[in-house]
């Protein structure tokens, strides 16, 4: 991954591993900046089970998720940004509890533009999903503002 290579270039000991393969136990695990929203329900369930397996008996898991408001009123829409060398368009549409975001980058070459395009999907997860987990107990939740009023919820879990 690009982030791992950047860390290594800076002399950091970084690696990308699947949490399902992790054998070590931790007092706390943190997952922030929408990580949980990038997983559909099946993948999220498997991820949360792996998190629980990596926690000590009194371990804590802290994560954030986007609220419905964060998806439908903050993230949805179109924006663009232009510099001398490139032009970026971001177009996000929220439908059926999914935010589909299409990124289109036009990179200026000496005589023409090169087009790069990709789509990412984020999923809205209701709090009730997190209240019914087998291995983690949701002990606290706090809605807060990162970009706009009440667009994020902080979730704090304890291992069951």
């Amino acid at each position: 991954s690009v982030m791992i290579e950047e860390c290594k270039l800076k002399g950091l000991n970084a690696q990308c591993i699947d949490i399902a393969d992790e054998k070590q136990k931790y007092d706390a695990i943190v997952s922030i900046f929408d990580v949980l929203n990038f997983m559909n329900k099946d993948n999220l369930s498997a991820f949360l089970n792996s998190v629980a397996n990596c926690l000590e008996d009194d371990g804590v898991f802290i994560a954030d998720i986007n609220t419905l408001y964060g998806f439908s009123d903050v993230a949805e829409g179109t924006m663009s940004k232009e510099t001398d060398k490139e032009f970026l368009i971001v177009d996000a549409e929220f439908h059926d509890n999914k935010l589909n975001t299409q990124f289109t980058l036009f990179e200026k070459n000496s005589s023409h533009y090169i087009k790069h395009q990709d789509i990412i999907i984020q999923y809205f997860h209701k709090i009730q999903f997190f209240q019914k987990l087998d291995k983690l107990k949701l002990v606290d939740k706090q809605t807060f503002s990162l970009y706009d009023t009440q667009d994020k919820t902080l979730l704090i879990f304890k291992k069951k």
Side-chain angles (χ1 to χ4, degrees), residues 19-57:
I19 193 166
D21 298 331
E22 181 61 42
K23 303 297 181 224
Q24 190 169 338
K25 298 285 185 181
Y26 299 91
D27 294 322
I29 298 174
V30 178
S31 176
I32 56 171
F33 294 113
D34 307 340
V35 169
L36 303 186
N37 291 118
F38 284 99
M39 294 179 239
N40 65 29
K41 285 208 181 341
D42 291 340
N43 291 340
L44 180 57
S45 293
F47 174 78
L48 294 172
N49 283 333
S50 294
V51 166
N53 292 339
C54 290
L55 286 173
E56 296 286 355
D57 287 340

Side-chain angles (χ1 to χ4, degrees), residues 94-156:
F94 184 67
H95 181 68
D96 288 336
N97 289 328
K98 287 192 260 184
L99 182 72
N100 292 292
T101 306
Q102 182 173 17
F103 296 86
T104 306
L105 176 67
F106 294 94
E107 193 174 30
K108 193 172 191 176
N109 200 327
S110 57
S111 62
H112 62 283
Y113 284 91
I114 301 170
K115 179 181 175 183
H116 307 275
Q117 199 166 44
D118 205 352
I119 295 175
I120 61 169
I121 299 173
Q122 290 187 42
Y123 301 87
F124 170 68
H125 302 294
K126 295 180 180 178
I127 294 297
Q128 291 84 347
F129 172 84
F130 298 103
Q131 293 171 327
K132 297 177 182 177
L133 299 174
D134 293 332
K135 297 182 176 184
L136 294 170
K137 177 181 169 82
L138 181 63
V139 294
D140 195 11
K141 62 180 178 62
Q142 298 175 11
T143 301
F144 65 99
S145 300
L146 185 60
Y147 298 107
D148 199 345
T149 305
Q150 300 189 351
D151 57 315
K152 297 278 184 191
T153 299
L154 183 70
L155 306 172
I156 302 172

Side-chain angles (χ1 to χ4, degrees), residues 67-77 92 146-151:
T67 64
L68 182 59
Y69 175 81
F71 276 122
S72 63
D73 292 292
V74 177
E76 187 173 51
L146 185 60
Y147 298 107
D148 199 345
T149 305
Q150 300 189 351
D151 57 315

Side-chain angles (χ1 to χ4, degrees), residues 66-99:
N66 289 315
T67 64
L68 182 59
Y69 175 81
F71 276 122
S72 63
D73 292 292
V74 177
E76 187 173 51
T78 302
M79 65 153 251
S80 63
K81 177 80 175 169
E82 185 174 3
T83 68
D84 291 341
K85 297 180 181 180
E86 55 195 16
F87 181 73
L88 173 67
I89 302 167
V90 179
D91 187 28
E93 180 180 312
F94 184 67
H95 181 68
D96 288 336
N97 289 328
K98 287 192 260 184
L99 182 72

